[in-house]
Amino acid sequence: MDANEGLRIPGGRTGLVRTVVDGLAACDAVGVLLVGEEGIGKTAITRRVSHELAAVRVIPVRGGTGLRTIPYGALSRYLVGLAPEDAGSASAVLRHFLRHITPELKAQAPPVILVDDAHALDNESALLIMQLATARKVRILATARQVPGPVGEFARAAKDGLLAHHAVEPLTLPDVRELCAQVLGGPVLTGTARMLAATTRGNPLLLTMLLEQFRDEGYIVPRNGVWRARGLRPAVGAPLADLLLHGLGERSRAELDALESVAVGEPIPLASLEAAVERGVLARLAQERLIEIDAGHGQLVSLRHPLHAEALRGRIPAVRALERAGTAGSRTPGDPEGLAAWVASALRAPLPVADDVLLRSARVANRFHDQRLALDALTAVQDPAPTPSYLLETAWMQGAAGNHRLARELLDEALRSVEDPTVARDGAALSLSLYRHVPDGGRALHADVERWAGLLEDGTAHSDSGPRTREAAGAAVRLLRTAVGTLGGDLRGAQALEETPVDPDLPGEVRLGHHTLLAHALTRSGRPLAASAVLDEARSVLGEDPEHLLTYRDAVSGEHLLALVGAGAWDAARDCFHRCYPPEAEHAFLLSGWLDVIDGARSLQTGRFSDAREHLLLAVEAFRDSDGLHLIDRVSGAAAYACARAGDAAGARALIDAHGATTHGSDAVARRMGDAHVAAADGYLGAEDAVGRLRSIAARAEGRGALLVAATALDHAAELGDRTALGPLAAVTRAFDGEPGSCLHRFAAAAADGDRDALVVESEASRRRGYLPLAVRCLEEASLVGPAGAAARGVDRQLAALRTELRAVPGGSTVPSVHEALLTRGEQVIVKLVAEGHTNREIAEIRGISTRTVEGHLYRIFAKLGISRREVLQQPAAVRTSAPRRPTR
């Protein structure tokens, strides 16, 4: 074992360690007090602090519940040989203790008395230690739990400022990821880390025990070098349950009864709990942070720690569970979350639940990605004949578990005789989710969509429905067929929806489909701000009938996230994700790959290519399991590009080689976007045809309305040296909104016009926004414009400084840009003049140098670019031909 393994703590806590070390050296306090819940990592911090205090002697003292009533019980190891008649004399005890630690007192620095569990320290020991500390004989480093808190003497010293008080907070998500990587020996998916953080509330001890259990039981497994949670989460193991319940052993019977009632029925309305439990009991449990009351949701009571609830439920006999369930009283769930919680608590009791309610709850659970509740609800259905709804929800659950072929078979069975358009609609939604996982998934999707359309059309044709009903059905069918075309990559039909505002009197389902499709097209045509505004309307429609429209929730949320990412609103995107999928929603971890997409996009924009690589590789792994918008090829392509820019040639090549095998997995626009990123990555690895591929992708995408794909391909082509792409790029991005798109347009327009001043201005504006790669490119283009002179030298100086700044960015790239890596500014100007058709003599006259000097420059340019003929420089992609010889240091 590594000698330093016991000293490892998450990086987020190194600051606290430094603060404690400094606090022990400060002269305005006698020591430091660390306070936090059991298992929060106080001991690990003190161990690391002791290591940092290598030249200072540490005297360990430990409190204990059994010793708290014994005077000087915590110091007993240092009082061996004390005469029995002196045991009650404070001065005799002090003298004996001082004699025992005399060697430490003679050291240059005062020793540190390390008091572990100061909440269980006897008063006499605490007083003696404080006396020594106030006399400057020793320093104190103490730990205590929040409840009941440090012993009185230490509490008063902390209040008076003699002991510097620091709360040890739960681990943050990055800290949880780091600790998981330490325990598992490799990186963990962000979603899995997020689930573990929520389940353990960031408690390192619980996290470590849970990780080890989940790894041993095969719930957390590695794939492609990344650890992830798979399937249904197993119950808490016996060792962890014993640890969790050990702390409840001293609770009164009334308190335990209340805790069991909450565990069985949570969340419980406070009013129902107060009717069965004494108010004083609830007050104590709340004060000691064992229960919490959600004031924003009808005063609902839950156990503060989810694992406590699980451990308690596992130890409650069935008969007593039924009794406890009665405490919750009867309530009618009025929203999807309430319905799911109510059915879950009823099934835990267990109480009888009607089949129709069970099927509703299974539907809700599936849309909330709660496989456990969906399975429990479907298992409890009593009807022996499986209905289409039952088969559909079973198929949905199997699809979420990764059993795609079985899910497709169940879905086909469910839709074989379906007559309810609502079931057919949900079936089409599941078909969309499955189509990239099963053979002929696209053909099955088209058939399922046509079945839904047929049911809608038949329903209006064979009934006495009025014109509004027929209009609604017709609008729904048109939207369905537009959606199929959009999936095939033609955005023009969806873009036309902007010119035909949706009738507010149409059903919410139709309006929601209209808004989502339009936003889909707007984002992919470079107008993410417009898409975000449309999706704000869609979210309000979702709120009109949350349960009925629940199937659309993930699509609306995903499109909103994509729009915010495209607009460069990174923080707003993260806030949106946490609102849609809060950490306490345990099974939402399946969608947490979005967090890495957000961070990866931001890192690419700001030049932190190594960080972008890390995040996007995690996103690829997450989207293999859950990809509601079918973006896997787009994300995978972006990851390949990030790898290439970060200098990870092997990682980029692996993703490039795998790209062709996954292109059936995304919609057509996402495939083309992935193709553009992959071509650019290939260019950075030396592929000679990269620019040609990018120009071809751009032309096809522009013709089908996918302007964002066209702009991305043209931008990559220009980045690789094809300056003829700048004019088309400026034209394609003219209507782009959002900060990244607008910045890109201004850069391309200024570069295409040869406007050096505008490029310098845009470079500084991009730098202020943090878009350092674009800022560098602006100055690179500016360096190629205009005559040599003071202005040109000023641009060169700014460019050199900006390149240095970009290289210094944490997580930045070690791979230089095309212009920086290969050609000097003077060589770039000569290439430009050759491309314009000037002879060597004309170039010499323009540059004010000799013809022989021009020839020497051309010799070096040919060598750097790996070419042998002047004509190559006169081709549109002249500078691009340098790619094969780009250094990858």
Side-chain angles (χ1 to χ4, degrees):
M1 186 179 78
D2 184 350
N4 293 319
E5 185 171 340
L7 302 174
R8 290 176 183 165
I9 60 171
R13 290 191 166 175
T14 55
L16 179 56
V17 169
R18 189 70 256 162
T19 299
V20 173
V21 171
D22 292 343
L24 290 172
C27 58
D28 56 347
V30 300
V32 176
L33 174 64
L34 298 176
V35 177
E37 67 181 35
E38 183 179 11
I40 204 65
K42 304 184 293 297
T43 300
I45 292 172
T46 59
R47 190 182 299 123
R48 179 66 175 271
V49 169
S50 299
H51 179 73
E52 297 284 333
L53 299 171
V56 178
R57 298 298 297 270
V58 176
I59 303 170
V61 172
R62 185 178 187 85
T65 304
L67 297 174
R68 188 167 188 176
T69 58
I70 301 175
Y72 305 109
L75 300 177
S76 57
R77 63 188 292 188
Y78 303 106
L79 301 180
V80 176
L82 179 67
E85 60 271 18
D86 290 336
S89 170
S91 58
V93 170
L94 176 59
R95 287 193 301 271
H96 194 89
F97 181 70
L98 286 173
R99 282 198 301 270
H100 193 92
I101 65 170
T102 296
E104 286 81 2
L105 294 176
K106 290 180 178 179
Q108 186 175 1
V112 172
I113 294 184
L114 173 57
V115 184
D116 219 355
D117 290 344
H119 54 275
L121 194 66
D122 61 276
N123 293 323
E124 290 78 7
S125 294
L127 180 59
L128 185 149
I129 292 170
M130 283 302 304
Q131 287 174 340
L132 291 174
T134 53
R136 306 296 173 176
K137 298 287 188 182
V138 301
R139 311 288 281 179
I140 297 173
L141 175 56
T143 68
R145 295 184 195 168
Q146 292 169 316
V147 179
V151 68
E153 195 68 34
F154 282 18
R156 285 189 291 272
K159 185 177 180 181
D160 293 339
L162 291 175
L163 282 176
H165 180 284
H166 296 287
V168 182
E169 302 293 345
L171 298 181
T172 63
L173 180 59
D175 289 339
V176 168
R177 288 177 62 174
E178 183 180 343
L179 184 55
C180 288
Q182 290 177 7
V183 174
L184 298 173
V188 62
L189 281 185
T190 298
T192 299
R194 192 168 181 256
M195 177 270 292
L196 290 166
T199 303
T200 63
R201 294 292 180 97
N203 185 296
L205 175 61
L206 301 182
L207 175 61
T208 302
M209 293 185 68
L210 206 60
L211 273 174
E212 292 172 349
Q213 177 196 333
F214 286 170
R215 179 185 56 193
D216 293 344
E217 296 183 6
Y219 173 61
I220 291 182
V221 296
R223 189 178 71 187
N224 296 328
V226 180
W227 291 80
R228 73 198 61 223
R230 296 297 302 265
L232 296 176
R233 182 168 76 80
V236 171
L240 181 53
D242 289 340
L243 175 68
L244 290 164
L245 298 179
H246 175 73
L248 303 178
E250 299 179 6
R251 313 311 308 186
S252 69
R253 184 67 256 173
E255 290 170 338
L256 285 174
D257 288 347
L259 290 172
E260 288 182 355
S261 296
V262 175
V264 171
E266 67 176 350
I268 297 178
L270 179 60
S272 299
L273 198 58
E274 287 178 333
V277 179
E278 292 181 12
R279 187 180 295 270
V281 171
L282 293 179
R284 282 197 302 276
L285 295 176
Q287 182 180 7
E288 297 181 19
R289 305 181 69 183
L290 288 170
I291 63 172
E292 58 187 10
I293 302 170
D294 188 349
H297 292 80
Q299 296 283 90
L300 296 178
V301 181
S302 301
L303 288 187
R304 179 177 175 273
H305 207 295
L307 289 178
H308 272 137
E310 190 172 337
L312 275 170
R313 286 196 294 268
R315 300 294 175 90
I316 301 174
V319 174
R320 198 156 80 229
L322 281 170
E323 295 174 358
R324 301 286 182 253
T327 304
S330 59
R331 58 191 177 96
T332 303
D335 55 77
E337 292 92 338
L339 174 67
W342 181 82
V343 172
S345 62
L347 292 176
R348 283 196 300 263
L351 297 173
V353 182
D355 280 359
D356 61 329
V357 177
L358 289 169
L359 285 174
R360 282 177 56 206
S361 67
R363 181 177 182 273
V364 168
N366 276 324
R367 306 313 180 270
F368 281 147
H369 311 282
D370 187 345
Q371 296 177 44
R372 173 69 64 187
L373 176 57
L375 175 62
D376 291 346
L378 291 169
T379 302
V381 170
Q382 297 295 310
D383 190 344
T387 63
S389 294
Y390 179 92
L391 291 169
L392 172 62
E393 297 311 324
T394 304
W396 203 293
M397 183 186 67
Q398 293 294 343
N403 302 321
H404 302 118
R405 289 179 180 272
L406 176 57
R408 183 68 247 183
E409 293 174 5
L410 290 167
L411 176 59
D412 289 340
E413 182 65 26
L415 297 181
R416 185 165 289 122
S417 59
V418 67
E419 297 180 357
D420 184 348
T422 301
V423 175
R425 176 208 63 195
D426 283 4
L430 177 57
S431 185
L432 177 63
S433 176
L434 294 174
Y435 97 98
R436 72 183 184 92
H437 295 292
V438 295
D440 288 331
R443 184 180 304 172
L445 172 63
H446 281 67
D448 295 337
V449 167
E450 288 303 319
R451 180 184 287 106
W452 182 16
L455 285 174
L456 288 172
E457 291 171 338
D458 290 347
T460 55
H462 299 91
S463 69
D464 297 328
S465 55
R468 299 297 294 174
T469 303
R470 290 194 294 274
E471 180 184 353
V477 170
R478 287 193 298 274
L479 285 172
L480 277 172
R481 292 181 174 142
T482 300
V484 172
T486 301
L487 191 65
D490 190 347
L491 300 180
R492 291 168 294 185
Q495 289 167 342
L497 297 174
E498 191 174 16
E499 301 171 3
T500 55
V502 64
D503 187 340
D505 293 329
L506 287 173
E509 187 174 278
V510 176
R511 287 181 284 134
L512 200 56
H514 180 282
H515 293 325
T516 307
L517 266 179
L518 174 57
H520 176 98
L522 289 172
T523 299
R524 289 154 181 80
S525 57
R527 296 174 59 196
L529 287 181
S532 185
V534 170
L535 289 162
D536 284 335
E537 294 183 49
R539 301 201 74 83
S540 65
V541 175
L542 275 177
E544 294 174 6
D545 190 354
E547 185 179 336
H548 179 66
L549 300 175
L550 193 58
T551 299
Y552 295 98
R553 183 189 71 136
D554 284 348
V556 172
S557 300
E559 290 292 352
H560 207 170
L561 290 168
L562 204 59
L564 292 170
V565 168
W570 325 112
D571 292 335
R574 290 184 69 88
D575 290 344
C576 176
F577 179 84
H578 290 306
R579 283 197 307 273
C580 297
Y581 307 106
E584 59 269 18
E586 182 180 317
H587 294 84
F589 79 90
L590 293 168
L591 300 172
S592 292
W594 276 109
L595 293 173
D596 287 307
V597 169
I598 295 166
D599 290 339
R602 170 185 256 166
S603 297
L604 280 179
Q605 195 75 36
T606 55
R608 302 194 311 272
F609 297 115
S610 294
D611 289 349
R613 169 190 172 278
E614 177 185 347
H615 286 296
L616 290 172
L617 287 175
L618 288 173
V620 169
E621 292 306 315
F623 275 54
R624 292 189 202 280
D625 294 331
S626 180
D627 181 17
L629 295 188
H630 304 288
L631 299 173
I632 182 68
D633 293 307
R634 174 175 177 172
V635 176
S636 178
Y641 173 73
C643 285
R645 293 303 306 267
D648 178 10
R653 176 54 58 197
L655 288 165
I656 291 169
D657 292 344
H659 183 69
T662 64
T663 52
H664 69 284
S666 299
D667 69 41
V669 174
R671 286 201 300 274
R672 297 289 83 80
M673 183 70 88
D675 292 344
H677 288 314
V678 162
D682 228 357
Y684 270 88
L685 297 184
E688 296 186 4
D689 63 341
V691 168
R693 285 155 55 192
L694 287 164
R695 297 301 295 266
S696 176
I697 291 168
R700 290 200 307 272
E702 187 175 2
R704 309 197 82 185
L707 299 185
L708 183 61
V709 176
T712 300
L714 290 167
D715 184 36
H716 282 321
E719 181 184 87
L720 290 170
D722 179 11
R723 299 186 73 253
T724 67
L726 293 168
L729 177 59
V732 165
T733 57
R734 186 174 293 112
F736 277 26
D737 61 21
E739 201 170 71
S742 299
C743 291
L744 183 62
H745 170 70
R746 291 192 294 271
F747 156 72
D753 293 342
D755 189 337
R756 180 163 64 188
D757 291 340
L759 284 166
V760 172
V761 169
E762 186 56 36
S763 175
E764 180 56 29
S766 296
R767 180 180 176 276
R768 287 196 302 271
R769 295 182 179 95
Y771 300 167
L772 290 182
L774 184 59
V776 168
R777 291 177 64 195
C778 287
L779 290 184
E780 286 175 342
E781 289 296 328
S783 72
L784 301 178
V785 175
R793 289 192 294 274
V795 168
D796 286 346
R797 285 194 297 271
Q798 293 179 57
L799 179 56
L802 203 53
R803 283 171 171 165
T804 300
E805 184 178 350
L806 179 58
R807 282 193 293 267
V809 169
S813 173
T814 58
V815 180
S817 67
V818 174
H819 304 289
E820 180 184 6
L822 297 168
L823 303 183
T824 66
R825 178 188 177 279
E827 290 167 344
Q828 283 284 342
V829 173
I830 289 176
V831 168
K832 178 175 180 287
L833 293 172
V834 171
E836 291 173 354
H838 294 286
T839 65
N840 287 2
R841 178 172 295 178
E842 290 170 338
I843 294 171
E845 292 175 357
I846 293 171
R847 299 290 293 163
I849 56 180
S850 69
T851 303
R852 184 177 294 276
T853 300
V854 173
E855 291 171 351
H857 278 308
L858 285 173
Y859 176 82
R860 286 189 292 274
I861 289 169
F862 286 2
K864 286 183 179 182
L865 300 185
I867 61 176
S868 59
R869 294 183 300 110
R870 182 190 192 92
E871 290 76 16
V872 176
L873 295 180
Q874 295 173 328
Q875 296 174 0
V879 182
R880 165 65 193 94
T881 59
S882 62
R885 301 175 68 91
R886 179 179 297 106
T888 56
R889 66 176 185 272

